[in-house]
Amino acid sequence: MGVVIPLEDSKNKQASVKPLVDLTKADMERVNQLILSKAGSDVQMIPEVANHLISSGGKRLRPMLTLASASMFGFTGDAHVKLATSVEFMHTATLLHDDVVDESDLRRGKSTARMIWGNQASVLVGDFLLGQAFRMMVDVGSLEALDVLSTAASVIAEGEVLQLSVAKNMETTEDDYLSVIRAKTAALFAAAAEVGPIVAKTDKASRNALKSYGMNLGLAFQLVDDVLDYGGKAADLGKNVGDDFREGKITLPVILSYRRGTADERSFWREAIEGGKSDDQNLEKALGLITRYGGLSDTIARAQHYGTIARDALAPLPQSPWKAALLEVIDFCIERVS
Amino acid sequence: MGVVIPLEDSKNKQASVKPLVDLTKADMERVNQLILSKAGSDVQMIPEVANHLISSGGKRLRPMLTLASASMFGFTGDAHVKLATSVEFMHTATLLHDDVVDESDLRRGKSTARMIWGNQASVLVGDFLLGQAFRMMVDVGSLEALDVLSTAASVIAEGEVLQLSVAKNMETTEDDYLSVIRAKTAALFAAAAEVGPIVAKTDKASRNALKSYGMNLGLAFQLVDDVLDYGGKAADLGKNVGDDFREGKITLPVILSYRRGTADERSFWREAIEGGKSDDQNLEKALGLITRYGGLSDTIARAQHYGTIARDALAPLPQSPWKAALLEVIDFCIERVS
């Protein structure tokens, strides 16, 4: 079920996150220390649940964005480390709540926290991490950064509810879908990248450049994620292929295949997604239709579109290893799928 | 199953929340407007879920505390209205998540949001309201108020997880129980009362007085709530009698009755609470034991103890209608049980 797409526009055949990892290495060690310390509690279940997810091998792309977007303007200090940790906690809290909402049993190849400790602990430890995230932001003391991140928290939750509203509705348009992923995923990427220039006290144009970079990178990232759900291998991804299909989640590969299909095929989609007939046989059929109508390759083309916007957003900034690393991350996010 | 306890220390036989309601009436109208506006969203499900709970007739004691604790120092403006709304949103978010965690079907006599819209919407709309609460706090711009309220958010979640850890464990001590209610209930009362003096820019002593008042009022409030769960009428309370018993929640009436009971009676409690044998017949037996060992009257005595501390906390403040109203609320909270 692997998908190979020729990346014709890519100048970088083997794009990697490594330059960004290397540049942020020292600060990420401080972030990791702070994560351990702020996920600590005398209430034993809190670090247990939090560390289960925290140690499960996520890439920590979002906190690296915050670190890089402050450091590229010469910022040194600890505000960016605290904000990067806040961003990661906001993300972790969202994952804990998402697993409850989606009734997922697997994330990144491991049992979800809710399967081990129950829905109750997942909801409440998520709330705790969100509270700790806000305390760290307050500790930094920048009302501008607080404004950006608290707005992101509202927007993310709003996006998740919107996703719930459009779930199992085959009439969802590409625009509806974009509204969902802009809110539930891209808003945090944008906020993570915007708070760097804020603490670095740089000019408004640079702040907007990083915000736009983060937003469009986030859109590309989520589009590719939604392709991977139909095209990757569960072991590689640490999740089950076809999870979105089984949950009746409407993502772009499905929207495109539905709209481009025949009346009979549209009936199939409605029965599968709205009617819940999502067994393995129907998943096979869905994958066939998605392939026939270019649902994956055209979703990747959309991702490349947003990737290009992210690249252009950074164009006016002076060349630097930081900028080069951030640009390479765009290709890395899109090439994950090949 | 009604419980009538002589309130020998009470100087005020018919204590009421009315003086506080009257004094805060104009500002509470602004709070109610702000609640409606900030619970709004283009995503229709959000105001539906939020308003279901918001309009369900809670007393809105917490936001009134914030308004009173600012107004009593002569504060006028809108910061206290925004913070009062934030406090109510934090409380509403907690209730939405609590109902999921406790699997409750009834709150204040109405079906819980999770019974109507599902656990998913309850978790996510709770997250949205928490995000909106933080945005309003940021809008006020007081880092001190942000510090107090974000710390409360962490502490509340920590207390909820602690409650989960001690659930169904009959060896829970009164001290463990106090740690739980201090965190899950009293911390928000304390924060609600402390942010008033903060925005009013009053002296540190007054700020500490209100904080201590809120904390101890919150303890008394929760102790009485836990008595009501065993002693009130479902219709009056808007919840089911014996909910805590059926959920295996360890509250002070149970702790006292367990510790004061015979070995046989302790076996009964373990089977009922830890073993889940909590049918109506066992609830009847539990109520009998609680009555025999003074579990309710002594829990009320504890509430009176904290009520006295709350009263003394305000003692150094000059007489005013505000102070009188806040003092009367202490008696009102405790007399709910009689």
Side-chain angles (χ1 to χ4, degrees):
Chain A
M1 281 193 256
V3 181
V4 182
I5 305 292
L7 291 168
E8 40 192 342
D9 292 339
S10 175
K11 285 117 201 150
N12 196 335
K13 274 294 168 199
Q14 289 267 300
S16 167
V17 71
K18 192 167 179 299
L20 183 63
V21 169
D22 289 345
L23 283 168
T24 58
K25 194 170 175 22
D27 279 342
M28 274 306 289
E29 277 169 24
R30 295 164 71 197
V31 168
N32 291 334
Q33 279 304 110
L34 200 55
I35 285 175
L36 286 176
S37 136
K38 296 294 179 183
S41 165
D42 292 339
V43 183
Q44 204 184 337
M45 198 190 277
I46 290 179
E48 276 177 18
V49 174
N51 291 333
H52 173 75
L53 190 54
I54 289 167
S55 67
S56 72
K59 285 176 296 298
R60 304 211 172 148
L61 190 52
R62 295 163 190 80
M64 285 195 291
L65 291 184
T66 300
L67 295 176
S69 71
S71 301
M72 73 191 295
F73 299 106
F75 182 78
T76 53
D78 56 10
H80 64 330
V81 170
K82 288 175 184 167
L83 292 176
T85 308
S86 297
V87 164
E88 184 66 5
F89 272 19
M90 285 173 68
H91 176 55
T92 308
T94 306
L95 295 185
L96 281 166
H97 287 184
D98 272 1
D99 286 339
V100 173
V101 166
D102 295 342
E103 300 176 350
S104 306
D105 51 2
L106 210 60
R107 178 178 290 281
R108 295 179 193 152
K110 286 171 72 173
S111 292
T112 53
R114 73 173 203 99
M115 296 300 289
I116 305 175
W117 291 277
N119 281 339
Q120 306 170 315
S122 292
V123 170
L124 298 175
V125 174
D127 289 349
F128 175 74
L129 293 179
L130 206 55
Q132 292 291 81
F134 277 103
R135 290 178 73 180
M136 278 184 281
M137 293 172 213
V138 172
D139 191 31
V140 168
S142 160
L143 284 167
E144 275 182 302
L146 272 160
D147 182 28
V148 167
L149 287 167
S150 62
T151 301
S154 276
V155 169
I156 291 166
E158 202 170 21
E160 303 266 1
V161 181
L162 180 60
Q163 181 169 47
L164 211 58
S165 314
V166 303
K168 306 189 189 213
N169 176 0
M170 281 311 306
E171 299 309 319
T172 304
T173 63
E174 178 165 346
D175 287 327
D176 295 332
Y177 165 80
L178 271 176
S179 298
V180 169
I181 69 171
R182 193 178 294 276
K184 77 163 195 167
T185 305
L188 188 56
F189 275 75
E194 188 179 0
V195 293
I198 289 174
V199 293
K201 299 193 196 308
T202 184
D203 59 303
K204 185 79 182 165
S206 301
R207 178 176 159 176
N208 281 338
L210 268 298
K211 176 185 175 178
S212 171
Y213 163 82
M215 181 66 80
N216 288 286
L217 176 67
L219 291 171
F221 180 91
Q222 186 61 56
L223 284 158
V224 167
D225 231 44
D226 291 342
V227 167
L228 287 170
D229 196 85
Y230 283 100
K233 287 176 189 148
D236 293 355
L237 286 171
K239 60 179 185 175
N240 308 317
V241 169
D243 268 351
D244 290 347
F245 182 76
R246 277 182 289 268
E247 289 166 17
K249 234 179 232 176
I250 314 281
T251 59
L252 192 56
V254 170
I255 292 172
L256 295 177
S257 307
Y258 174 76
R259 294 188 169 262
R260 294 170 180 180
T262 65
D264 276 358
E265 287 161 355
R266 280 200 287 274
S267 291
F268 161 77
W269 282 111
R270 279 193 297 267
E271 279 174 27
I273 299 283
E274 299 178 355
K277 293 188 180 162
S278 55
D279 55 26
D280 283 355
Q281 201 183 329
N282 274 354
L283 175 58
E284 284 298 319
K285 179 164 180 190
L287 285 164
L289 291 175
I290 289 174
T291 304
R292 180 179 316 157
Y293 290 107
L296 299 186
S297 53
D298 281 4
T299 299
I300 295 168
R302 271 23 173 214
Q304 287 168 331
H305 163 83
Y306 293 108
T308 305
I309 300 177
R311 178 175 295 277
D312 283 330
L314 293 192
L317 298 180
Q319 289 300 334
S320 75
W322 296 100
K323 178 176 165 181
L326 289 176
L327 290 175
E328 190 166 343
V329 163
I330 303 170
D331 291 332
F332 166 74
C333 283
I334 296 172
E335 289 177 24
R336 287 189 302 157
V337 83
S338 61
Chain B
M1 284 193 257
V3 180
V4 182
I5 305 291
L7 292 168
E8 41 193 342
D9 292 340
S10 175
K11 285 119 201 150
N12 196 334
K13 275 292 168 201
Q14 291 266 303
S16 167
V17 72
K18 190 168 180 300
L20 184 63
V21 170
D22 289 345
L23 284 169
T24 57
K25 193 168 175 22
D27 280 341
M28 275 305 290
E29 277 169 23
R30 295 164 71 197
V31 168
N32 291 335
Q33 278 305 109
L34 200 53
I35 285 175
L36 285 176
S37 136
K38 297 294 178 180
S41 165
D42 293 338
V43 183
Q44 203 184 339
M45 198 190 278
I46 289 179
E48 276 177 18
V49 174
N51 292 334
H52 173 75
L53 189 54
I54 288 166
S55 68
S56 73
K59 284 176 298 297
R60 303 212 172 146
L61 190 50
R62 294 163 189 80
M64 285 195 290
L65 291 185
T66 300
L67 296 176
S69 70
S71 301
M72 73 190 295
F73 298 106
F75 182 79
T76 53
D78 56 10
H80 63 328
V81 170
K82 289 176 184 168
L83 292 176
T85 308
S86 296
V87 164
E88 184 67 4
F89 272 18
M90 284 175 68
H91 176 56
T92 308
T94 306
L95 295 185
L96 282 166
H97 287 184
D98 272 2
D99 287 338
V100 172
V101 167
D102 295 343
E103 299 174 351
S104 307
D105 52 2
L106 211 60
R107 176 177 294 278
R108 295 178 194 151
K110 286 171 72 173
S111 292
T112 53
R114 73 173 204 100
M115 296 300 289
I116 304 174
W117 291 276
N119 281 338
Q120 305 171 316
S122 293
V123 170
L124 297 176
V125 175
D127 289 351
F128 175 75
L129 293 179
L130 205 55
Q132 292 292 80
F134 277 104
R135 289 178 75 179
M136 278 185 279
M137 294 172 213
V138 172
D139 191 32
V140 168
S142 159
L143 284 168
E144 275 182 302
L146 272 160
D147 182 28
V148 166
L149 287 167
S150 62
T151 301
S154 276
V155 168
I156 291 165
E158 201 170 22
E160 302 266 0
V161 181
L162 180 59
Q163 182 170 46
L164 210 59
S165 313
V166 303
K168 306 190 189 214
N169 176 2
M170 282 310 307
E171 298 310 319
T172 304
T173 63
E174 179 165 347
D175 287 327
D176 295 332
Y177 165 80
L178 271 176
S179 298
V180 169
I181 68 171
R182 193 179 295 276
K184 76 162 197 169
T185 305
L188 188 56
F189 275 76
E194 188 180 1
V195 294
I198 288 175
V199 293
K201 299 193 196 309
T202 183
D203 58 304
K204 184 81 182 162
S206 301
R207 178 176 159 177
N208 281 338
L210 267 298
K211 176 185 175 177
S212 172
Y213 163 81
M215 180 67 79
N216 287 286
L217 176 67
L219 291 171
F221 180 90
Q222 186 62 56
L223 284 159
V224 168
D225 229 45
D226 291 342
V227 168
L228 287 170
D229 196 86
Y230 283 100
K233 287 175 190 150
D236 294 354
L237 286 171
K239 60 180 185 176
N240 307 318
V241 168
D243 268 351
D244 290 347
F245 182 75
R246 276 182 289 269
E247 289 166 16
K249 234 179 232 177
I250 314 281
T251 59
L252 193 55
V254 170
I255 292 171
L256 295 176
S257 307
Y258 174 74
R259 296 190 166 261
R260 293 169 180 180
T262 64
D264 277 356
E265 287 161 356
R266 282 200 286 273
S267 292
F268 161 78
W269 282 112
R270 278 192 298 267
E271 280 174 26
I273 300 282
E274 299 178 354
K277 293 188 180 161
S278 54
D279 56 26
D280 283 355
Q281 201 182 331
N282 274 354
L283 175 59
E284 283 298 319
K285 180 165 179 187
L287 285 164
L289 291 175
I290 289 174
T291 304
R292 180 179 317 158
Y293 291 107
L296 299 186
S297 54
D298 282 5
T299 298
I300 295 167
R302 263 40 165 207
Q304 286 168 330
H305 162 83
Y306 292 108
T308 305
I309 299 177
R311 179 175 293 277
D312 284 330
L314 294 190
L317 298 179
Q319 289 300 336
S320 74
W322 296 99
K323 179 176 165 180
L326 289 176
L327 290 175
E328 190 166 343
V329 164
I330 303 170
D331 291 333
F332 166 74
C333 282
I334 296 172
E335 288 177 26
R336 287 188 302 155
V337 82
S338 61

